[in-house]
Amino acid sequence: MSSENTDQIKRTEKISFTFDDQTVEAYDGETIAAALLRRGVIHLRNAPNSNTARGMFCGMGVCQECVVEVDGYKVEACRTKTSNGLIVKKVSYV
Amino acid sequence: MYDVIVIGAGPAGANAALTAEHYGLNVLLIDEGSDAGGQVWRVKSKSILSAPVTETSLKGDKLRQRVKSSEVDILFETRVWQIEQNEEHVWQLGLQGVCERSSVSGKALIIATGAQERVIPLNGWTLPGVYGLAGATALFKEHMILPGKNTVVAGSGPLVFFVASEIIRLGGTLSAVVTLNSRFEWLKAAAEMISKPGLLWQGVKWVFKLHIKGIPLHWQSALSSINGNEYVQDVDIIKTTKYGYLKRKLNVLVEADSVCLGHGLIPAIEATRLAGADHHYDETLGGWVPTIDQCGRTTVKYLYACGDNAGILGVQAAPYRGELSAIAAVEDLTGSTSETINHHNKALKSLGEEAAFGIAATALTIPKNGLIENIGKNVEVCRCEGITREEIEIELIKGSVSPNSIKSGTRCGMGPCGGRFCSESLAMITESITNQSREEIGLPTARPPLRPVSMDEISDELDYDELPIPGVSPL
Amino acid sequence: MGCGTALRASEGGMNTIIIDQSDMGQGASGVNAGTLSMQIKRVKLMPYAIKGHDMWQKMGQEVDFHKTGGYTLAFNDREADLLHDRMTMKKEAGANISFVSPAILQEKEPSLAQKIVAASYCPDDGYANSSLTGQYYRKRITQLGINYMENTKITQINETSTGYEILSGENRIQTKRILFACGGWLKEAVSLIGEDIPVNARVNTVSVTERAPRLMNSVIGHATGLLTMKQKNNGTVLIGGGWQGIGKPSEGRGKVVMDSLIPNLQLAKFAAPKLAKVRIVRSWTGFEANVPDFYPLAGKLGKRDNAFILGCVRGGYTIGPYISSLMGDYILGKEPEMPLFDPSRKFEQGKLI
Ligand SMILES: Cc1cc2nc3c(=O)[nH]c(=O)nc-3n(C[C@H](O)[C@H](O)[C@H](O)COP(=O)(O)OP(=O)(O)OC[C@H]3O[C@@H](n4cnc5c(N)ncnc54)[C@H](O)[C@@H]3O)c2cc1C
Ligand code: FES
């Protein structure tokens, strides 16, 4: 599949970060959401009221569905870049 | 202080910035992306070192090169969260992101924030694996990655076919392509698009590609439900009437692990609204638009709007709209010259030629009346707060009729996205119950921040003794 | 407060209609921070606030009433003195206020700043959700069968031999009596019958965050009154304190400005440092009526026997339901339980310390 390195598409070196307990490989500099999608991880959080599963939706920083936690901040996974050793967590609501 | 600040570095904004710079003004261009290009000529992720060149990547690269080699100051990966104008008409913007500065000021402000997507809710639209059509294009252009292993593409307008063809190009599998539009509607649009035979031919090629690959193409049809618990498993496809009403009993069940869904683009007007401009409703332009003259002057002094946020006319028209609004700003700040007048006339003529195509494409996405039926009573219309259609209807029946009032009563639109995804469907539901026009229904009050912003990003550490205490409250 | 008075007048047998230029309860009463705090009430208004508080408590769930208790904080010695003097007076006026040591506060509210030098506590403090004000009153009013017209701006008022004729677009309404309860819009409204009152509008700013982990359990205030903060059950934090935006009631709903929003948020962050990582999702402004001495306006308008005015300054949300019931009684010709506030009084300049 073309989402990996191919003859035609050259990507950066692989790095790894964690999403909760999972270690995830990513191409250096790609967004958290893209890296997770490549690994088939698309369930990023549960909605606060209905508790339904949510993942990336608008892909451009508008809908806030892809929000994850990095260093205690809520960030848009579709716009936040990965880096080696980055610790990403699912958000939880009170 | 800058002479001109441009928010948005898509084809409209970037050309506005370059034009203003050409006339000797001191220009700042701001975008939340990592480079110029906007949605349509979106820059590739830094994780992609090389990839096959396409027409859009070429155009984007060319624009990026022009910006880079110009004198325009740039702030990328920077978001504007607040827009203010003081009594001397000077603009002051609050910034967040990687930039050092927390605010910046300028004499003229050109807003070129582009479009956002309209997605009309249906059962299952909140499942992981469902993407907006525009969101899917971001996956392709920025990341060169597919939404899933087998995908259904559904909705209205040209984006349906563009997304489907990109999935094929990137080697993905399509389970079905579902368009609300009929062949007849396309033919009608084509007649108006004939001024751009190249683009029209492009469209024909997309459809042809689907036929060759044997991908089921459902004309005048809609998804009635996306099914699955945690992930998308399958979808129900149903024929609709011309007006978008579902024809019961004729559904087809199709397996898929992902869905790309969208019902056209709508102008992203939060910034012009926050800046205080008047807006009106025009469905042929995608819905609510700032009220502007032909050069993009809004009703607020030194505030201009260009590009899709000023009405959906598409990428072909955008650069000319950018040029026109920059010329307007130049003329308002420094007076007109024969050069600006000639330039204005030329750009206006080109805009006229390009606009027809955009309007014909937008016409294909004007929401059909029947679509509203497809929002089941338990469907979450407000994704952030989980507010269902039924809850909204109860509030309407209790007597709330304006968006502000419904918001207060239900929390619909009070979540982190700020109502950007539900306000369209909320208005459609209100329309169906109260019979008011969209203009009468109006919009909720525009408030900052334009996007959620952490307290850290807004406010530096406080030197407690420096806190400007404006007088303690009375005893 | 217009709604509250209408309820009372209608219960007393008067045929009543409510007219609002916007949606019901979308003025100050629908956009304020919802603090029901005895500690921020003025000494002279304390008896009214206590009654008003009781009424909110009775409305209960329908307005999302919560009695959480509240702390008022002082971060330096000057503020500690201020806190001490003010709270002592409020206590004498009947509020259930005590002083707590920073150590005890730390135990109860561990996420608050370490730098607190003094604090006071009132167990009665709490909040309601002001967004639900309109919803609540609309329901009560419908139940009582009171007429109401929303999104109807009054454009002209004519005096007639029997009272007033109110004009709005095509609508003409004849009435014996009229009550102006137009909040920040009062000056403009009474000018329609040629009266002038020394009311201007304050433009108060409020912000709300997205859902955050539990940072506080009670309503938090600041000795200067420049911060109010509470975290709702859903985790969102509301931040107010009367920081001023810009704009006029005649021109929309006012605007938030960074010059006042930023210090407001800095102060909040100073009081609860963990807020630093929390995102603000919306900041807004609302208009509140203001007169030089900062007391309510409640009584007859000028020398007229059948025109009345009701406006509340600072803390009007808490007092609102009660003072409007007094106003209702007054219009019904009954003696109100507590004195009203003559709108024709001589206004002395109130002091801001
Ligand atoms: C942002 C903010 C925060 C606050 N926080 C608190 C708090 O935490 N605790 C507290 O106790 N108090 C608080 N207050 C004060 C309190 O909200 C007000 O004192 C109280 O709500 C005033 O009630 P009102 O009914 O008189 O005015 P409003 O609620 O403003 O109602 C006036 C109504 O009159 C209508 N009107 C005006 N002119 C016309 C016309 N010509 N024709 C028809 N209709 C018209 C308006 O549309 C509006 O609906 C706050 C105020 C604000 C603005
Ligand atoms: S997917 Fe919408 S904000 Fe990231």
Side-chain angles (χ1 to χ4, degrees), chain B residues 62 122 126 214 268 277 308 389 430:
Chain B
K62 197 170 147 210
L122 64 103
T126 58
D308 273 0
R389 174 172 183 167
T430 307

Side-chain angles (χ1 to χ4, degrees), chain B residues 132-188:
Chain B
L133 288 176
T137 67
L139 286 180
F140 312 142
K141 292 178 189 167
E142 185 175 341
H143 303 288
M144 308 203 66
I145 180 173
L146 290 161
K149 293 203 174 68
N150 56 336
T151 307
V152 168
V153 181
S156 47
L159 261 184
V160 171
F161 292 100
F162 175 68
V163 167
S165 85
E166 283 290 285
I167 289 176
I168 295 174
R169 184 174 75 87
L170 291 175
T173 308
L174 284 169
S175 319
V177 175
V178 184
T179 168
L180 260 173
N181 302 113
S182 62
R183 287 189 190 82
F184 175 73
E185 284 164 358
W186 271 102
L187 279 177
K188 215 175 98 194

Side-chain angles (χ1 to χ4, degrees), chain C residues 34-101:
Chain C
T35 316
L36 300 171
S37 165
M38 295 298 136
Q39 297 182 76
I40 55 173
K41 292 295 146 331
R42 304 183 62 192
V43 172
K44 197 175 151 189
L45 297 178
M46 199 57 76
Y48 300 83
I50 292 170
K51 294 273 192 179
H53 187 281
D54 285 349
M55 292 176 80
W56 283 109
Q57 184 155 3
K58 290 204 185 83
M59 298 180 215
Q61 237 186 346
E62 284 188 69
V63 291
D64 199 19
F65 174 87
H66 287 276
K67 190 146 112 181
T68 57
Y71 292 97
T72 305
L73 315 178
F75 295 126
N76 58 30
D77 290 343
R78 194 184 69 91
E79 290 168 6
D81 291 346
L82 188 69
L83 183 76
H84 192 269
D85 293 352
R86 299 182 134 216
M87 292 307 162
T88 306
M89 287 168 79
K90 293 182 187 190
K91 203 170 149 180
E92 281 159 11
N96 186 6
I97 297 174
S98 56
F99 293 96
V100 291
S101 69

